[in-house]
Amino acid sequence: MGFENRDYYRDPEWTPPSEDGPRGQNPVCRWLIGICIVVFMGQQVQSLEVARWLALNSNEVAHGQVWRLITYAFCHGTPPSPGQDNSHPLMHLVFNMVGVWFFGRKVEDRMGSMEFLGFYLAAALFSGLAHLGLESLFLKQASITVGASGAVMAIMAIFAMWYPRQQILFMAIVPMEVRWLIALIVAFDTLPIWAALAGAKGNDHIAHGAHLGGLLFGFLYQIFELRLTR
């Protein structure tokens, strides 16, 4: 059965089931953004404590703190560490929340709110595991990782599969179809991995594995017609 026959792949005017609320309210997008903002405000007061319990760290996950595979996606900004530029946590938050709002609303409308929530959390989990896998291969040491970027990439991936020719403004200036934006992101996140495979040293402190993991999850979700809720 092709994905055009699935219940959420309909005309853009299709209204989701009534239990998800009227189309266009996007409760899950609003809640996700609100939670990330609240956590960010908490980090400004108790950055060390919030990151200590919520950020993704392979050592802590290995010791049973598996909740970090989800909670890291609600944090933005980590405690400063030597050689790491952490001066723009607010921009990290803003860019991710703009992605949730711009792309996530249409995806939530078409999936339904409950399915979208399951999709988002599963994307965060998949992205976290992808990051930890690449970290173990290339960095050989644990790092503190935060941010919703992986889940946002999953949203963008499925958006691009539904609306590949949708025009957006890249860097708020250059008109571009969303499919080409995805291609640029794949290139941006793949090149450092190839460089590491070739023996290049250094770390730009960007979770390329999480980005690629999110994109991959979005593509797999659509290609295999996955459904995470009833």
Side-chain angles (χ1 to χ4, degrees), residues 31-138:
W31 271 103
L32 291 172
I33 292 171
I35 292 171
C36 286
I37 291 174
V38 169
V39 173
F40 180 79
M41 293 173 64
Q43 287 184 265
Q44 305 316 299
V45 178
Q46 288 288 343
S47 177
L48 288 172
E49 289 301 317
V50 172
R52 181 178 298 164
W53 287 105
L54 301 183
L56 183 60
N57 181 292
S58 58
N59 289 337
E60 303 298 346
V61 171
H63 284 84
Q65 298 183 13
V66 294
W67 65 82
R68 295 174 180 273
L69 290 166
I70 297 292
T71 57
Y72 80 97
F74 295 95
C75 299
H76 293 81
T78 60
S81 60
Q84 181 174 355
D85 179 11
N86 191 43
S87 58
H88 304 292
L90 178 60
M91 295 307 299
H92 188 197
L93 172 71
V94 169
F95 278 117
N96 281 336
M97 296 306 98
V98 167
V100 170
W101 186 245
F102 184 85
F103 298 103
R105 287 180 300 161
K106 175 64 75 174
V107 175
E108 182 179 352
D109 276 348
R110 292 183 65 162
M111 282 187 180
S113 293
M114 291 304 298
E115 179 67 12
F116 178 72
L117 177 59
F119 173 83
Y120 187 93
L121 296 178
L125 173 62
F126 192 94
S127 301
L129 291 172
H131 169 73
L132 293 183
L134 285 177
E135 180 183 75
S136 66
L137 287 175
F138 299 123

Side-chain angles (χ1 to χ4, degrees), residues 131-152:
H131 169 73
L132 293 183
L134 285 177
E135 180 183 75
S136 66
L137 287 175
F138 299 123
L139 295 183
K140 308 298 183 182
Q141 60 183 5
S143 62
I144 297 176
T145 302
V146 295
S149 301
V152 173

